[in-house]
């Protein structure tokens, strides 16, 4: 039979009120805290979070909305988020929106009905109106990886524009002028990265044909079909930047199928060094996001809102992305 609060009382000699105060997060004397914690460990007592939630109005559960749980970037971020939440005594409830805004709205309501203490959001689109229900209910929200154009919430991201600009500058420094990009023109991260691509070309006074700009939705298919189109051009690019992990996978497969040698025929920089560096040769250059740091900061922001330690206007934290060198970029003659 599971231990109860009365068993703790009998073991410690303390009152039920004192023990209940401790279990619900209240302050008790250090001596009493030590007695209770020893009894909990000896008795293998497990806190009933649902019952405690009725008293504290807290469930110690964080909802996580993700646009696509199959996305490897999302999976890695969930790993880091789970660790950070666990370290702070929280669990997480994950809802997959399957890249569908209607499902995303239903998932939000599901989380609100479960009385989560806060919500971390990898949003499907650029419209944040679907989160008004959370705001009305007083449930804190932190966006991860992307912001909205019409709603303000706390947000943790990388500076996508600067990250892409840095990748293009790397190619330019190696003498490349025929530089292509494959990235989304409908998702926040891709749109910002496209802006960075144009910034860098303008700064370097380089003009490339519009065919070098492959646009769509970040996906394996975009990378695969986009790379095939680029490499079949009468004058294909000498270098390409692939706008996220999925497009990088697709682009690499297409270039291999067409018999292009990297980096002799085509230099490549990808986004997010997750698994590919361990299995693909030559070793790719990558734009690398600080995922663990982003996850920790997002959890810190959310818990600060939950505890009311952080008040005021929404905050937007932008991390810098790094570049991990590899063997997939060649230096052009004369550079």
């Amino acid at each position: 039979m599971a231990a109860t609060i009365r068993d703790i009382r009998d073991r410690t000699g303390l009152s039920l009120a004192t023990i209940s105060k401790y279990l619900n997060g209240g302050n008790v004397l250090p001596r009493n805290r030590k007695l209770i914690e020893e009894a909990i460990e000896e008795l293998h007592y497990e806190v009933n979070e649902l019952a405690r939630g009725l008293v504290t109005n807290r469930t110690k559960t964080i909802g996580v909305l993700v646009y696509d749980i199959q996305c490897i970037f999302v999976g890695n971020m969930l790993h880091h988020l789970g660790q950070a939440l666990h370290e702070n005594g929280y669990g997480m409830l994950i809802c997959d929106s399957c890249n569908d805004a209607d499902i995303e709205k239903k998932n939000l309501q599901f989380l609100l009905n479960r009385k989560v203490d806060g919500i971390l959001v990898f949003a499907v689109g650029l419209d944040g109106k679907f989160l008004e229900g959370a705001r009305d209910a007083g449930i804190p929200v932190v966006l991860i990886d992307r912001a909205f154009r019409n709603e303000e919430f706390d947000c943790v991201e990388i500076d996508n524009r600067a990250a892409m600009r840095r990748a293009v500058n790397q190619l330019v420094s190696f003498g490349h002028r025929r530089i292509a990009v494959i990235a989304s023109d409908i998702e926040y991260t891709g749109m910002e990265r496209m802006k960075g691509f144009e910034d860098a070309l303008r700064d370097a006074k380089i003009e490339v044909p519009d065919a070098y700009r492959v646009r769509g939705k970040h996906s394996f298919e975009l990378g695969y079909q986009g790379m095939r189109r680029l490499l079949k051009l009468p004058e294909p690019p000498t270098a390409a930047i692939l706008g996220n992990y999925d497009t990088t996978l697709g682009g690499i497969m297409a270039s291999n199928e067409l018999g292009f040698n990297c980096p002799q025929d085509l230099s490549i920089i990808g986004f997010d060094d997750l698994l590919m560096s361990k299995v693909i040769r030559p070793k790719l250059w990558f734009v690398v996001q600080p995922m663990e740091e982003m996850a920790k900061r997002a959890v810190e922001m959310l818990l600060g809102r939950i505890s009311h330690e952080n008040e005021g206007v929404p905050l937007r934290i932008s991390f810098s992305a790094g570049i991990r060198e590899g063997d997939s970029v060649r230096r052009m003659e004369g550079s």
Side-chain angles (χ1 to χ4, degrees), residues 34-204:
K34 185 173 186 296
L35 288 172
I36 295 169
E37 290 175 349
E38 288 176 349
I40 287 174
E41 184 175 355
E42 292 170 2
L43 295 168
H44 304 291
Y45 175 81
E46 294 184 2
V47 177
N48 186 327
E49 294 291 357
L50 290 177
R52 182 161 72 173
L54 294 174
V55 177
T56 64
N57 201 31
R58 292 282 182 264
T59 62
K60 302 295 284 185
T61 302
I62 299 301
V64 187
L65 289 175
V66 301
Y67 52 81
D68 183 1
I69 204 167
Q70 293 187 99
C71 174
I72 295 179
F73 168 79
V74 169
N76 277 265
M77 286 297 294
L78 287 173
H79 168 73
H80 295 305
L81 290 169
Q83 286 188 320
L85 289 169
H86 175 72
E87 290 170 2
N88 286 277
Y90 282 79
M92 64 180 180
L93 184 58
I94 304 166
C95 290
D96 183 7
S97 300
C98 305
N99 280 309
D100 187 313
D102 290 332
I103 295 176
E104 187 174 53
K105 293 177 185 177
K106 294 175 182 177
N107 284 340
L108 174 68
Q109 192 57 53
F110 172 84
L111 293 176
L112 295 178
N113 291 342
R114 295 305 181 279
K115 305 297 182 183
V116 296
D117 296 339
I119 303 175
L120 298 165
V121 179
F122 296 81
V124 171
L126 300 174
D127 190 337
K129 290 183 179 179
F130 77 97
L131 286 172
E132 289 178 355
R135 178 177 283 157
D136 293 342
I139 304 300
V141 170
V142 173
L143 308 179
I144 300 177
D145 186 44
R146 54 191 65 184
F148 294 136
R149 58 189 172 197
N150 60 342
E151 297 286 342
E152 288 294 324
F153 291 92
D154 289 332
C155 178
V156 174
E157 60 177 354
I158 66 163
D159 188 334
N160 289 282
R161 193 166 181 169
M164 177 61 83
R165 189 165 59 240
R166 186 176 179 185
V168 176
N169 288 342
Q170 185 66 59
L171 293 173
V172 172
S173 72
F174 274 46
H176 290 274
R177 294 297 180 269
R178 290 166 24 214
I179 303 171
V181 63
I182 303 177
S184 173
D185 61 351
I186 57 177
E187 296 161 285
Y188 173 79
T189 52
M191 293 167 66
E192 289 297 303
R193 291 169 190 176
M194 278 292 193
K195 291 175 184 176
F197 180 77
E198 300 300 340
D199 291 342
L201 292 185
R202 185 168 51 252
D203 292 344

